[in-house]
């Protein structure tokens, strides 16, 4: 059984429940905070999420320093995250183990702020932007607004 814990600001509740949780459940994952195989951290970046994001980044820093954690970070507004949470760059660079770093589209994929030799970067379609087609290796993409 695959168990996922999804962490995100309260401003992302509708996205978390309506898209992420539903997507994972439909693909035979269990959404549960206890003993997860994978933790999906969402950092929103919006002004209304600043307090929640700070708390999430603190938890993320702790988890990225541990050996037994499998982590993916979904960045909703990478440009705003840089402005509001500059400490995140050093946290990513100092990660102890590999982690996933997911962008909505490729605009910030090669941004120095998000450079980390431990990051495995990928992009998923967002639905709010017109993007060039990307090669999709897996048939299932959880988290996209597009079908």
């Amino acid at each position: 059984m695959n168990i996922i814990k999804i962490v995100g600001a309260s401003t992302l509740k509708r996205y978390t429940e309506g898209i992420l949780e539903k997507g994972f459940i439909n693909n035979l994952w269990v959404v549960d905070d206890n003993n997860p195989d994978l933790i999906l951290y969402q950092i929103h970046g919006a002004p209304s999420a600043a307090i929640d994001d700070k708390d999430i980044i603190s938890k993320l820093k702790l988890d990225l320093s541990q050996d037994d954690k499998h982590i993916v970070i979904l960045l909703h507004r990478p440009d705003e995250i840089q402005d509001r949470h500059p400490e995140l760059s050093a946290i990513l660079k100092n990660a102890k183990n590999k982690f996933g770093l997911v962008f909505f589209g490729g605009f910030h994929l090669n941004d120095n702020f998000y450079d980390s030799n431990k990051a495995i970067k990928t992009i998923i379609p967002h639905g709010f932007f017109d993007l060039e087609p990307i090669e999709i290796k897996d048939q299932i993409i959880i988290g996209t607004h597009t079908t």
Side-chain angles (χ1 to χ4, degrees):
M1 178 182 332
N2 292 316
I3 301 172
I4 186 168
K5 176 180 178 178
I6 301 174
V7 179
S10 60
T11 53
L12 295 171
K13 182 178 183 192
R14 197 173 78 174
Y15 177 79
T16 299
E17 292 174 356
I19 294 177
L20 291 179
E21 287 182 4
K22 188 181 288 185
F24 281 103
I25 290 168
N26 287 342
N27 287 282
L28 306 178
W29 283 71
V30 173
V31 179
D32 192 342
D33 291 349
N34 299 312
N35 300 315
D37 300 305
L38 176 69
I39 303 172
L40 174 59
Y41 280 99
Q42 300 177 82
I43 303 175
H44 194 179
S48 56
I51 293 170
D52 286 348
D53 281 348
K54 272 249 191 260
D55 184 45
I56 290 165
I57 290 169
S58 292
K59 292 174 185 172
L60 174 63
K61 180 180 181 179
L62 178 64
D63 281 349
L64 285 174
S65 70
Q66 298 179 14
D67 281 327
D68 60 342
K69 304 287 182 173
H70 296 92
I71 297 170
V72 172
I73 305 163
L74 176 59
L75 304 168
H76 285 263
R77 298 181 179 186
D79 52 339
E80 293 180 59
I81 291 168
Q82 290 179 31
D83 293 340
R84 286 191 182 83
H85 307 288
E87 70 279 9
L88 180 62
S89 183
I91 291 169
L92 299 177
K93 285 174 179 50
N94 292 320
K96 190 171 186 178
N97 297 299
K98 299 264 185 206
F99 63 92
L101 192 58
V102 181
F103 298 85
F104 286 118
F107 295 120
H108 295 274
L109 190 64
N110 296 316
D111 193 319
N112 290 337
F113 183 89
Y114 296 105
D115 278 349
S116 171
N117 62 355
K118 302 292 185 183
I120 301 168
K121 296 180 183 181
T122 192
I123 60 173
I124 60 174
H126 192 282
F128 296 131
F129 304 108
D130 292 327
L131 299 175
E132 294 295 319
I134 59 171
E135 179 183 339
I136 298 174
K137 296 176 184 166
D138 296 323
Q139 295 298 315
I140 300 170
I141 299 176
I142 297 171
T144 181
H145 282 293
T146 59
T147 56

